[in-house]
Amino acid sequence: MALGFVPSLEQNEEQDVQTPLLRPKYDAPENRKNRKCSIILLVVAIVGVVLAAVGGIMFPVVDLYIKEQVKERVVIAPSSETYEIWQDIPVPVYMQFYLFDIGNPEEVKKGNTPFLKQVGPFTYREYRTKYDIVWNDNGTVTYKQNRTFFFVPDMSVSNDDTEITTINPLIATVAQNFQWMNGVVKTAVSFALSLVNEDIIMTRPVRELLWGYEDQALALMNKVNPVAFPTVNIGYFIRKNYTDDGIYTVDTGETDYHKLGFITDYNGEDHLDIWTNTWANMVNGTDGTLGPPFRFDAQVSPIFVSDICRSIKGIYKKDVETPQGIELRRFGGDRRDMLNATENPDNIGFCTPQTNCLPTGLLNSTLCQEPVNGLPLPVVFSFPHFLYADPSVQSSVVGLNPVEEEHQTVIDQEPWTGLVLQVAKRLQINMYVKHVPNIGQTHNIQPLFFPILWINESSVVDDHWANKLKDDLFTPMHLAKIGKFSLIALGASLFLVSAFVLLARRFSTAK
C-alpha cells in the first residue's frame, strides 16, 4: 500500500467554504452607468445653484454699478453727458398764450359783469441758453439764462396781429397808484390822459399786448420830463424776450447728488425781499428742468418760479409716460399753496401787507414786477380760469371754465436721472381794476381781478433725446435685468430637474 497524504473531511469542507471569498467581485455595466449618471446630475444641480446664486448677487451689484454710472452722467459739469442739455436746452419749448377778449366793453364800464371769450393759442417757440457760467469752489455753478421767442403760425389759432379788447394796463396802474392822492391831482392826471384818448378798455393786436407798444400817454410824459418818465413802451412780456430772468446759483451734485439742481442763490441771495415773512421769502427747490436722481418714491418735488417770485411744492400726482414709452413721475401744483391765509396760515407771508390778504387762488405780484416809470403794476397771478380760486372770484366774470387737467401746472420727472422730460407751466395774469373818484377813465367799473391772459409754457422730449436716453441707460438696464433673471431661472431649472431625476432614480432602485 502506497503511502500518501489524504486530506481529511474537515479540511475539504473548510476549503469549500473559503474558496468563494477569494474570487473578485463582479461589477455589472448597469451599476457603473448609474453611478456616472448620478455624478453628472449632482454636478448639474451644483452648477444650477451657482448660477442662481450669481443671478441673485447681480441684483445689488448691477444696481450699484448703474447708479454710479447715472451719477457720473447727470452731474452738472462740462464733461457730463447731460451738460449739453443743461446748457442749451435742445428739446423744443413752446410758450402758448390764451387771451381774454371782452365781449361787452361798454357794459363793463357801467359796472356790469364782464363777458369774456378765450382766444388762442398764440404759440411761440422758446429758446433758452445759459451763459456767463461760473464754476464755484463749493460745488455750485452760477449762470444767467437768455430766453428768446419766435412766433409759430402753424401752431397758432391765427396771426399775432389779431386784435383783442382788454383792460388798459396803464389806466389800471395809474388808478391804483393815484387813488390816495388829492382830488385835484387825480383830476389833473385824468385830464392829461384824456388828451391822448386813454381809456380803461382798449383794443390792440396780440403782438403789441405781449411784446410791447408805445403808449401815447407815456410818450407825452416822456417829452415833458424824460428823467421821471424814461419808459414809453408797455407790454406784459416786454422784459421777457431776449433777456434773462435773473442770476442763478445751483448745486452741481458733485459732492452730494441729493442736492443736484437745487438753487442755492437767486440774484446773489439765498432769499427774497419781497414777501412779509422769512418762510415766504425762502428760495426752495430746482428751476424745474433738472433734479436729483433716484427719486422713485418722492412725494414732493419743490421748484422756484422766478416769474411769480416764489417757491411751490410740487406734489406727486401719478405715473405717466412720454410718447416714446419712458416712465415718469408727475408732480403738480398744490392747492394749499394758493389758499387764503385764513384757510392756510402758512401763506400769511404772501399777503402784502399782512393785513391785506387776497382771496384764495390769487397771488399779489405787484412787488414781483419791475415798475413802469416808478409806478408798481397791480398784477395778480392765479392758475388759468381761476382754478382753485374762491367761488366769488370765479363768478366775478362770465366765460371761464376751470379744468384741473388743462389748467394745473405739471412737471414729469424721470426718476432714475432726475431729468424733467415733460412740463406744462400754466399761469394766469390778472389786473386789479376798480373805480377811482376823479379819474374819469375808470368810469363805474366794479372792483375786479380782471383776467388778461394765461400761458402754457410746455415741453415734451423729442424722439432723438428719448432714444439717446434709452440707448445710454434703459437698454443696458433692461439687458442686465434680463441677464439677472435668466441666470436665476436657468440655475433654478437645472437644480430642480437634476434633483427630480435623482430622486426618481433612487425611488425606482429602491423598488
Side-chain angles (χ1 to χ4, degrees), residues 168-376:
N168 185 334
L170 179 66
I171 298 299
T173 300
V174 169
Q176 180 69 13
N177 285 274
F178 282 79
Q179 61 179 318
W180 310 116
M181 291 285 186
N182 180 277
V184 175
V185 174
K186 289 187 288 186
T187 300
V189 169
S190 179
F191 176 75
L193 292 171
S194 67
L195 294 177
V196 288
N197 299 317
E198 293 277 6
D199 202 0
I200 189 65
I201 295 177
M202 66 178 187
T203 300
R204 285 193 175 273
V206 170
R207 186 190 309 111
E208 293 185 1
L209 292 173
L210 297 179
W211 311 113
Y213 59 91
E214 182 177 305
D215 185 89
Q216 291 181 324
L218 291 177
L220 177 62
M221 289 185 282
N222 173 261
K223 290 180 180 179
V224 175
N225 190 342
V227 176
F229 300 96
T231 299
V232 299
N233 294 314
I234 190 170
Y236 290 101
F237 286 81
I238 194 170
R239 301 185 183 96
K240 303 296 184 181
N241 203 4
Y242 300 101
T243 59
D244 65 86
D245 60 341
I247 304 173
Y248 290 85
T249 299
V250 304
D251 199 299
T252 64
E254 183 179 2
T255 57
D256 185 356
Y257 70 85
H258 294 96
K259 299 178 181 179
L260 174 65
F262 272 75
I263 301 170
T264 62
D265 292 281
Y266 179 68
N267 288 332
E269 300 287 344
D270 61 358
H271 64 280
L272 303 175
D273 292 314
I274 293 175
W275 311 112
T276 56
N277 68 11
T278 302
W279 184 84
N281 278 313
M282 293 176 66
V283 177
N284 292 325
T286 70
D287 66 354
T289 60
L290 175 67
F294 318 130
R295 306 187 77 238
F296 307 106
D297 301 313
Q299 297 300 309
V300 179
S301 184
I303 63 172
F304 173 73
V305 184
S306 62
D307 291 332
I308 60 175
C309 301
R310 66 161 293 181
S311 301
I312 59 176
K313 291 188 185 72
I315 303 298
Y316 171 73
K317 299 290 185 178
K318 60 181 179 180
D319 289 349
V320 296
E321 288 186 353
T322 69
Q324 300 83 11
I326 299 176
E327 295 181 357
L328 309 173
R329 289 175 61 81
R330 169 163 292 179
F331 297 88
D334 184 10
R335 185 179 182 276
R336 287 184 56 81
D337 284 341
M338 300 298 288
L339 290 177
N340 181 275
T342 302
E343 299 180 71
N344 182 7
D346 289 342
N347 289 338
I348 188 66
F350 296 111
C351 299
T352 54
Q354 290 192 2
T355 56
N356 184 26
C357 293
L358 297 185
T360 285
L362 303 178
L363 177 68
N364 185 352
S365 191
T366 298
L367 299 179
C368 180
Q369 309 304 309
E370 186 177 341
V372 175
N373 292 327
L375 300 179

Side-chain angles (χ1 to χ4, degrees), residues 101-116 165 167 199-202 396-398 433 435 441-448 450:
D101 185 74
I102 303 174
N104 58 336
E106 295 305 318
E107 286 76 9
V108 171
K109 294 178 185 179
K110 296 175 183 178
N112 295 327
T113 301
F115 284 73
L116 305 180
T165 299
I167 291 295
D199 202 0
I200 189 65
I201 295 177
M202 66 178 187
S396 64
V397 297
V398 175
V433 297
H435 166 67
Q441 286 78 10
T442 61
H443 302 276
N444 291 314
I445 193 168
Q446 61 177 300
L448 284 173
F450 210 105

Side-chain angles (χ1 to χ4, degrees), residues 384-397:
H385 287 243
F386 289 137
L387 176 69
Y388 304 144
D390 187 275
S392 64
V393 175
Q394 293 181 345
S395 62
S396 64
V397 297

Side-chain angles (χ1 to χ4, degrees), residues 407-423:
H407 300 138
Q408 69 172 337
T409 290
V410 294
I411 294 176
D412 300 339
Q413 196 171 37
E414 198 289 304
W416 274 95
T417 61
L419 292 171
V420 176
L421 301 186
Q422 295 181 161
V423 63

